[in-house]
Amino acid sequence: MERHLFRILLALVFIPGAIAASGKTPPEDQARRDSLWRIIESREVVIGDKTGLLDVRVPAGEVPDLCFLPREHPAQDTVPAAIREAVAERTRLTGRDSLSSADLMWALRPYLRWLQRIDPHLRVQPQARLALQSRQAYRTAKNAPLPGFLLLNIRDTLLVERSVDPLFRPGDRLLAINGCPVGDYLVRCYDDRSIYSFTLMANHDFEMVRAQGYTVLFERSGERRTVHTAGRPWQEVYLGLLRQREFLTRIFPEAKAGYFAITEFYPNNGLLIKKLRRAILAAKEQGCTSFILDLRGNPGGNGSAFDDLLSIFINKPSIPYLKGQRVRVGPETLRDYDFLTDSMRWQLVDVPPEERVAEVRLDRKKYIPGMKYYVLMNKDTGSVAASFCNILQFNDAAELVGEPLLENALRYGEVTQRWHGLTRLMLTVSTVEFDECTRAEDGVLRPDIPIPYVAADYLAGRDAMLVRLLDRIAQR
């Protein structure tokens, strides 16, 4: 069972130069692009000794024209007039003739939230451009230090979830960075459950690129504190935070429960499956009768070896999977599907039964009996991770715990990236529509055991959702 679905690229990307969209740029578009480049303004932020950061300023009159559903996407929706009007009104409220990326992300927010409702994969991210086009400038920018924490966003309350910087602890409530209140960042961000400092600051004039470090105001145990940190290179921050959770294995004797965290799915899931099987068998040997899989924050990845993975939890020779599949014919999908032809370009085409995974064959020898399985999920659980949750629920193999997934989290995948219009905005676009066997209602997959996020529960630095689930298991 091979599915190449969306995978969030957790990397600090600076793309030098004016890179055109896929294919040859028409002369009229190139002329318009050149006119935009002429109004690029150099930022005051300096990276290293010489490298400056540039930011396209989009003419205010052109902003409503950026509100469209990309033709590569399988959905048939058009942007409602009310959304375009809201964007136009926000553009007017900026009081500016041209908008920087920070202004633009604020003005476009009604449209971006509409896109996310259509398909959680549909995301726009501003891309920085370097004043000095060189490999050294790129390396300097990519390694720019960042605050070393991951934030938990609960109704616009930002709490430190994990940190590689000892200055910060889980449960610290973030109030401001470099004098900028967190609310000013959040109104330019997606309302994800977990937010990296890079994501928080990139949409606010790329404020994560600061040679002088970061002055952070936060609250701990009701007391306000201000600390200064030089930050750490993005790769160190990302990998350090990932290692704190990736394949994390625990035993909770009081609840007779084992635990295993899956942070993403890989092009080769062999190691993941090996470690997971080992964790379940070890928990069983220690007398555990329940096992918790933690997929919170898992953005998806690759469906490699999913038949082997599902065989651990489902004691059946095979299970139904896709009732249907459709693909939007374009440059990307023409390369991926042999049955498509150029004469079908931009049509929405049904994938023939022999080309889609209607049924998944399982290996009953891999099934591990004697366990009650639970899967923790939240609205950041997406793509192939969402499908994994759905398959387990549909086949009564596990109880889903936490909060509902985003609308249409199961519906689309196999993404590509393109420039959004003629701006420095990068747009992630799904090209394939899936119709999975599911119990989801109105496109929303809901937990069997709802446990909502409450900010007060996390101020002490504990994992409140996991604690509540363990209490429930222990009482059974």
Side-chain angles (χ1 to χ4, degrees):
M1 178 182 173
E2 187 78 14
R3 292 185 64 194
H4 301 284
L5 296 181
F6 178 61
R7 181 178 181 180
I8 294 178
L9 302 178
L10 300 174
L12 178 57
V13 180
F14 292 88
I15 302 179
I19 303 176
S22 300
K24 187 175 180 180
T25 305
E28 62 274 15
D29 282 357
Q30 186 61 55
R32 187 177 172 206
R33 185 187 297 278
D34 291 342
S35 70
L36 286 177
W37 293 142
R38 282 195 292 271
I39 55 174
I40 288 175
E41 294 184 358
S42 180
R43 296 289 317 287
E44 294 181 358
V45 174
V46 175
I47 309 169
D49 296 329
K50 300 179 181 178
T51 309
L53 201 60
L54 301 179
D55 192 12
V56 174
R57 301 188 68 87
V58 178
E62 297 186 10
V63 173
D65 294 335
L66 299 177
C67 300
F68 60 88
L69 188 68
R71 62 179 177 175
E72 295 94 338
H73 199 276
Q76 303 292 322
D77 304 65
T78 57
V79 182
I83 298 293
R84 293 176 59 89
E85 291 167 3
V87 169
E89 176 61 20
R90 280 177 162 243
T91 303
R92 286 192 291 271
L93 289 174
T94 66
R96 298 184 174 93
D97 294 329
S98 60
L99 276 60
S100 69
S101 60
D103 300 327
L104 193 57
M105 293 301 289
W106 181 82
L108 288 175
R109 199 164 192 238
Y111 160 68
L112 299 179
R113 298 184 77 169
W114 177 82
L115 280 182
Q116 192 176 32
R117 184 188 64 79
I118 296 297
D119 175 7
H121 299 101
L122 277 166
R123 295 174 74 98
V124 172
Q125 179 68 45
Q127 301 291 318
R129 184 168 181 256
L130 299 179
L132 180 62
Q133 306 301 320
S134 71
R135 290 184 180 179
Q136 181 59 41
Y138 175 83
R139 284 194 295 268
T140 303
K142 189 174 182 180
N143 292 319
L146 293 162
F149 46 63
L150 177 68
L151 298 165
L152 187 64
N153 180 20
I154 305 175
R155 296 187 178 181
D156 292 345
T157 296
L158 289 183
L159 304 170
V160 173
E161 182 178 351
R162 303 196 301 275
S163 178
V164 296
D165 188 333
L167 290 173
F168 307 101
R169 301 177 188 172
D172 289 345
R173 182 185 177 191
L174 188 68
L175 300 176
I177 301 178
N178 289 336
C180 181
V182 294
D184 288 352
Y185 290 117
L186 287 172
V187 295
R188 295 167 175 83
C189 276
Y190 289 93
D191 57 347
D192 298 326
R193 183 62 67 206
S194 295
I195 302 178
Y196 286 89
S197 58
F198 161 70
T199 307
L200 183 70
M201 306 178 78
N203 295 358
H204 196 301
D205 288 327
F206 304 100
E207 285 194 14
M208 68 287 185
V209 186
R210 287 182 177 271
Q212 72 273 27
Y214 303 90
T215 300
V216 182
L217 173 64
F218 64 94
E219 184 179 274
R220 179 184 296 167
S221 301
E223 176 188 348
R224 290 197 171 196
R225 304 185 180 198
T226 300
V227 299
H228 184 82
T229 177
R232 302 185 180 201
W234 165 244
Q235 187 174 23
E236 180 183 334
V237 172
Y238 170 61
L239 291 178
L241 293 171
L242 180 66
R243 288 174 186 136
Q244 291 179 13
R245 282 284 304 280
E246 186 179 34
F247 304 153
L248 177 63
T249 304
R250 301 177 66 182
I251 299 291
F252 298 95
E254 299 83 359
K256 294 184 179 180
Y259 169 95
F260 188 83
I262 304 176
T263 55
E264 62 180 282
F265 292 102
Y266 300 89
N268 182 350
N269 286 311
L271 179 61
L272 183 157
I273 293 171
K274 182 178 179 180
K275 286 182 174 290
L276 175 58
R277 282 187 58 85
R278 186 182 301 162
I280 296 173
L281 292 172
K284 191 174 181 180
E285 288 177 2
Q286 296 185 50
C288 293
T289 55
S290 297
F291 198 87
I292 301 167
L293 295 178
D294 193 345
L295 268 69
R296 291 173 296 174
N298 186 321
N302 195 292
S304 163
F306 250 47
D307 49 353
D308 289 337
L309 180 63
L310 293 169
S311 296
I312 297 173
F313 308 99
I314 303 174
N315 187 23
K316 297 178 182 178
S318 64
I319 55 173
Y321 176 49
L322 287 179
K323 295 183 289 184
Q325 182 177 346
R326 299 195 295 176
V327 58
R328 179 72 71 188
V329 184
E332 298 289 336
T333 52
L334 279 168
R335 292 195 294 267
D336 294 339
Y337 294 87
D338 293 336
F339 71 92
L340 299 179
T341 64
D342 196 64
S343 63
M344 302 175 180
R345 188 176 288 258
W346 305 127
Q347 296 179 32
L348 188 60
V349 177
D350 286 314
V351 176
E354 64 272 14
E355 296 284 342
R356 67 173 185 260
V357 184
E359 182 181 72
V360 181
R361 293 175 181 263
L362 303 179
D363 184 351
R364 302 183 80 166
K365 294 179 182 179
K366 291 182 170 64
Y367 175 68
I368 301 178
M371 283 289 185
K372 170 69 175 177
Y373 291 106
Y374 300 87
V375 180
L376 290 170
M377 67 182 196
N378 63 13
K379 64 180 181 179
D380 288 350
T381 305
S383 200
V384 73
S387 291
F388 181 55
C389 293
N390 176 61
I391 293 169
L392 292 184
Q393 184 190 61
F394 185 77
N395 290 278
D396 295 313
E399 290 193 47
L400 304 184
V401 183
E403 65 180 356
L405 301 188
L406 292 179
E407 187 175 352
N408 294 323
L410 301 173
R411 192 172 181 183
Y412 300 105
E414 296 193 14
V415 303
T416 185
Q417 289 186 316
R418 52 161 287 185
W419 292 112
H420 191 281
L422 296 173
T423 69
R424 295 298 299 176
L425 299 178
M426 183 63 75
L427 177 63
T428 303
V429 188
S430 299
T431 57
V432 178
E433 179 182 271
F434 300 100
D435 185 10
E436 295 190 16
C437 298
T438 183
R439 294 178 189 168
E441 298 178 3
D442 301 323
V444 178
L445 187 68
R446 293 176 172 82
D448 302 292
I449 304 174
I451 301 180
Y453 281 90
V454 179
D457 293 343
Y458 288 84
L459 289 173
R462 68 174 190 162
D463 186 343
M465 184 182 291
L466 177 59
V467 169
R468 289 180 62 183
L469 174 58
L470 289 169
D471 288 344
R472 184 184 181 104
I473 294 172
Q475 293 170 10
R476 284 192 169 183

